[in-house]
Amino acid sequence: ALEGRFQISAKTLDKDLVVIRTYMPSDAMKARFHNRIIDDLHDREVIISVARHTETGIFRTNEDMEVQYAMPKEHLNKLLAQERAANDELIAEFGDRVFEYDDDIMDREFPELKTVPKLHFFHAPTNKSYDANYGKLMFNECMRIAIDQYQNRTGVQVNNGAWMIVDDVEFTGDWKELLDTYTLPTIHSTENEFEGGTLISSEDLPYPLEDTRVNWWATYASKNFREKYVISQRVNKVLWKQTEQVVYYSARFLEVLHENMKEGRHAQSEIATPTICEWNGCRRVEIDRKFIEGDQFYTNFNGVHTTEEIQARLEFNRAHGVHKLVHPCKW
């Protein structure tokens, strides 16, 4: 839980918060957290935000948000037990770095989330599809929860912005090298903290609403988001979309996002984050292509390459001093 509201503290972090977002990570992923991210980023505060389900249940809803059916209790209990065991192992290994969240916590913080249509996932044991949790779609809201949980637990104010790193991305160089390239002073963006802040991501581009790359995701949005950023003539019927395996939100931009959340403006984060940035005086900065692997080794689509091919590319890059982001690494 959020353990109460965070009161602005005189104690400030004064360095980046780095949030690794995960769900029942594999041993290889946990080794990645330790040996790559945490070890490399020794001068930053690294935490792990892990999703879980609750005994409230897992349901399937239709487009009108009506419940069609629920996951049978015996399957729900088995999944909950698996999650609990995985999260207990994570806490045993990483200790106070770990923060758990679930949809109940999200709904209490952001009541309008309940109005956003649900993405579905297939559950093989029951041969049915169910609503995915918010962690699959709403990265901004999940980041806000993680930041607030960290502030509440430590009493330390996150004042230097936050990086988000998903659990299935690899960087074949030193993570510190990558993040140091994009500090606000380095990219000459400190003055933007007096405006809308700064967003750092990749493949951050505008698309007309009819483009399939954004119009499908636009259905996963609240009424207030659609009215302000989709329907409004002011935005010229354009949505921005980014790739969000590695994202930096400056302190000011985190405030802008939070202000929008409090106004009930929620949407799938690939479109929500850059679109909110565009219309709120935020500066967008692209991660340089030199840090991003080509040949479709940095993509949202599973199945483009086999696990063996991805592992071979990682091994090649490291052996030859090639520093690239690679995704997805789901083993």
Side-chain angles (χ1 to χ4, degrees), residues 125-141:
T126 56
N127 198 34
K128 287 187 175 182
S129 294
Y130 298 91
D131 296 348
N133 61 23
Y134 292 132
K136 290 284 188 181
L137 284 176
M138 305 293 179
F139 287 17
N140 294 329
E141 290 78 2

Side-chain angles (χ1 to χ4, degrees), residues 2 4 16 19-20 22 59 64 79-80 146 158 160 173 180 192 203 222 225 234 239 256 263 277 280 315 320:
L2 288 182
D16 297 346
V19 182
I20 303 171
T22 191
F59 305 93
D64 297 320
L79 179 59
L80 291 176
V158 175
N160 212 51
D180 281 354
N192 287 79
E203 299 174 352
S222 66
F225 181 91
R234 184 174 76 88
L239 285 175
V256 169
E263 293 294 325
C277 176
N280 288 274
E315 185 177 338
H320 292 81

Side-chain angles (χ1 to χ4, degrees), residues 65-66 70 74-75 95 115 122 144 210 213 276 287 315:
M65 308 302 291
E66 299 167 335
E74 63 271 22
H75 289 282
T115 69
F122 181 72
R144 185 70 254 169
E210 61 269 19
R213 285 168 289 190
I276 291 173
I287 295 175
E315 185 177 338

Side-chain angles (χ1 to χ4, degrees), residues 47-326:
I47 66 173
I48 300 170
S49 179
V50 57
R52 67 186 180 199
H53 290 92
T54 71
E55 294 180 1
T56 305
I58 300 175
F59 305 93
R60 167 63 186 247
T61 56
N62 59 23
E63 293 180 359
D64 297 320
M65 308 302 291
E66 299 167 335
V67 174
Q68 296 176 297
Y69 52 80
M71 181 179 287
K73 198 71 174 177
E74 63 271 22
H75 289 282
L76 173 65
N77 289 340
K78 183 177 181 180
L79 179 59
L80 291 176
Q82 291 171 338
E83 290 179 352
R84 182 69 268 158
N87 290 353
D88 284 347
E89 287 181 10
L90 200 62
I91 292 168
E93 185 169 349
F94 293 92
D96 287 343
R97 292 186 190 274
V98 180
F99 296 82
E100 298 178 85
Y101 73 95
D102 53 54
D103 282 9
D104 290 352
I105 291 173
M106 304 274 284
D107 282 334
R108 286 195 295 271
E109 285 298 299
F110 309 115
E112 290 296 316
L113 273 179
K114 291 181 179 180
T115 69
V116 178
K118 308 295 185 184
L119 186 69
H120 299 127
F121 74 97
F122 181 72
H123 183 246
T126 56
N127 198 34
K128 287 187 175 182
S129 294
Y130 298 91
D131 296 348
N133 61 23
Y134 292 132
K136 290 284 188 181
L137 284 176
M138 305 293 179
F139 287 17
N140 294 329
E141 290 78 2
C142 295
M143 281 291 290
R144 185 70 254 169
I145 294 293
I147 291 166
D148 286 348
Q149 287 177 322
Y150 172 82
Q151 292 184 144
N152 284 328
R153 183 186 293 178
T154 64
V156 177
Q157 181 184 354
V158 175
N159 66 324
N160 212 51
W163 285 91
M164 177 185 71
I165 302 174
V166 297
D167 61 4
D168 61 345
V169 67
E170 278 268 23
F171 184 58
T172 55
D174 187 319
W175 278 99
K176 178 173 164 52
E177 170 206 0
L178 177 63
L179 270 57
D180 281 354
T181 304
Y182 294 101
T183 66
L184 294 184
T186 301
I187 61 173
H188 308 292
S189 205
T190 52
E191 291 300 313
N192 287 79
E193 292 302 276
F194 298 101
E195 298 178 27
T198 300
L199 166 66
I200 301 171
S201 61
S202 56
E203 299 174 352
D204 184 348
L205 298 167
Y207 298 92
L209 263 181
E210 61 269 19
D211 193 300
T212 55
R213 285 168 289 190
V214 294
N215 67 11
W216 187 68
W217 282 130
T219 62
Y220 298 96
S222 66
K223 177 183 176 183
N224 288 354
F225 181 91
R226 290 180 62 81
E227 287 180 348
K228 186 171 182 66
Y229 297 119
V230 182
I231 299 170
S232 170
Q233 291 301 309
R234 184 174 76 88
V235 302
N236 298 317
K237 297 186 177 180
V238 169
L239 285 175
W240 289 72
K241 182 181 182 297
Q242 67 179 14
T243 298
E244 53 183 3
Q245 283 80 24
V246 180
V247 179
Y248 173 76
Y249 315 77
S250 76
R252 173 59 189 143
F253 185 51
L254 285 172
E255 291 177 352
V256 169
L257 286 174
H258 200 194
E259 289 162 7
N260 276 268
M261 293 174 203
K262 289 188 290 186
E263 293 294 325
R265 300 186 191 112
H266 306 284
Q268 192 275 339
S269 46
E270 285 184 21
I271 63 168
T273 317
T275 298
I276 291 173
C277 176
E278 172 66 16
W279 300 109
N280 288 274
C282 166
R283 180 191 176 200
R284 54 171 37 82
V285 175
E286 284 273 324
I287 295 175
D288 197 296
R289 291 296 307 179
K290 72 179 183 181
F291 290 120
I292 297 175
E293 187 56 282
D295 302 326
Q296 296 194 69
F297 280 98
Y298 191 72
T299 175
N300 285 338
F301 301 104
N302 298 325
V304 176
H305 295 289
T306 65
T307 294
E308 290 74 20
E309 288 171 337
I310 298 171
Q311 290 173 331
R313 180 58 65 99
L314 293 173
E315 185 177 338
F316 175 90
N317 285 357
R318 291 192 174 110
H320 292 81
V322 178
H323 301 170
K324 302 280 189 180
L325 289 164
V326 176

Side-chain angles (χ1 to χ4, degrees), residues 26-56:
S26 65
D27 289 342
M29 287 178 177
K30 288 186 282 187
R32 193 179 299 155
F33 302 165
H34 260 310
N35 302 330
R36 304 282 181 202
I37 301 173
I38 293 173
D39 285 356
D40 285 356
L41 298 177
H42 51 82
D43 60 342
R44 291 168 167 89
E45 183 79 292
V46 182
I47 66 173
I48 300 170
S49 179
V50 57
R52 67 186 180 199
H53 290 92
T54 71
E55 294 180 1
T56 305

